[in-house]
Amino acid sequence: RLRREELARPYPGRRLTAQCLNWYIPYIVGDIEKRPPAREVTLGDFEQFVLFAVLRLSPNAYGAAIHREIEKRTGRDPAIAAVYTTLDRLEKKGLLRSWVGEPTPERGGRSKKFYALEAVGAEALAQSYQRFRHMVAGLEKLLEKS
């Protein structure tokens, strides 16, 4: 049977403080009530573009459609690989969920992978949007001139 310290050690030989133990143990043993509060998620510009596109296209948000939406709305033509990498990263962060749809004849019998915002993702996007609005407040006339 493993000791508490061994359960919480993410790397062999690494010593952890009591604070770290309190942080890791609930995740390992599944004690949800003792988990620390969620940290605020900071989103980069491109992550925000991807989340906005998923929100706008939902429930039909899939990689190529998200890429087209970003291109159409921002005038930027990101690499499709950047879109898929960002989708994977956002899903790993728990901001998105994905599922595989039914195979379609248009795609030669292949399925599309669809994406939707999780509640945490919607909250992170809303917080990011509010921070942006607070920064811009009062600067509208200056920004519209340029």
Side-chain angles (χ1 to χ4, degrees), residues 2-57:
L2 292 174
R3 294 184 325 216
R4 181 180 172 120
E5 294 83 18
E6 292 169 334
L7 282 172
R9 192 172 291 143
Y11 305 104
R14 182 173 179 184
R15 295 186 58 166
L16 296 175
T17 64
Q19 183 180 8
C20 289
L21 287 174
N22 290 333
W23 182 252
Y24 286 115
I25 293 296
Y27 288 97
I28 295 167
V29 298
D31 191 353
I32 296 171
E33 286 77 30
K34 292 186 179 178
R35 288 184 183 176
R39 296 182 315 189
E40 186 175 315
V41 178
T42 303
L43 300 170
D45 288 348
F46 194 68
E47 289 176 325
Q48 290 177 47
F49 291 159
V50 169
L51 290 176
F52 277 125
V54 169
L55 181 62
R56 184 177 298 277
L57 296 169

Side-chain angles (χ1 to χ4, degrees), residues 6-145:
E6 292 169 334
L7 282 172
R9 192 172 291 143
Y11 305 104
R14 182 173 179 184
R15 295 186 58 166
L16 296 175
T17 64
Q19 183 180 8
C20 289
L21 287 174
N22 290 333
W23 182 252
Y24 286 115
I25 293 296
Y27 288 97
I28 295 167
V29 298
D31 191 353
I32 296 171
E33 286 77 30
K34 292 186 179 178
R35 288 184 183 176
R39 296 182 315 189
E40 186 175 315
V41 178
T42 303
L43 300 170
D45 288 348
F46 194 68
E47 289 176 325
Q48 290 177 47
F49 291 159
V50 169
L51 290 176
F52 277 125
V54 169
L55 181 62
R56 184 177 298 277
L57 296 169
S58 190
N60 298 314
Y62 62 96
I66 293 166
H67 177 263
R68 283 192 302 270
E69 186 68 19
I70 292 170
E71 186 177 17
K72 178 176 119 182
R73 300 256 173 206
T74 66
R76 293 168 67 176
D77 184 17
I80 191 73
V83 173
Y84 282 110
T85 301
T86 303
L87 287 166
D88 288 343
R89 183 172 59 249
L90 292 170
E91 190 172 10
K92 286 177 186 170
K93 286 182 177 182
L95 305 179
L96 290 176
R97 69 178 180 279
S98 67
W99 67 95
V100 178
E102 296 296 319
T104 58
E106 304 90 43
R107 296 175 44 90
R110 294 181 300 148
S111 302
K112 291 179 184 174
K113 186 174 183 181
F114 293 95
Y115 296 88
L117 282 176
E118 290 284 7
V120 172
E123 180 64 28
L125 188 58
Q127 287 175 359
S128 186
Y129 177 66
Q130 288 302 319
R131 283 192 296 267
F132 177 78
R133 289 188 59 206
H134 286 264
M135 287 298 296
V136 172
L139 300 174
E140 293 86 353
K141 290 182 182 176
L142 291 172
L143 294 170
E144 289 174 6
K145 290 179 183 177

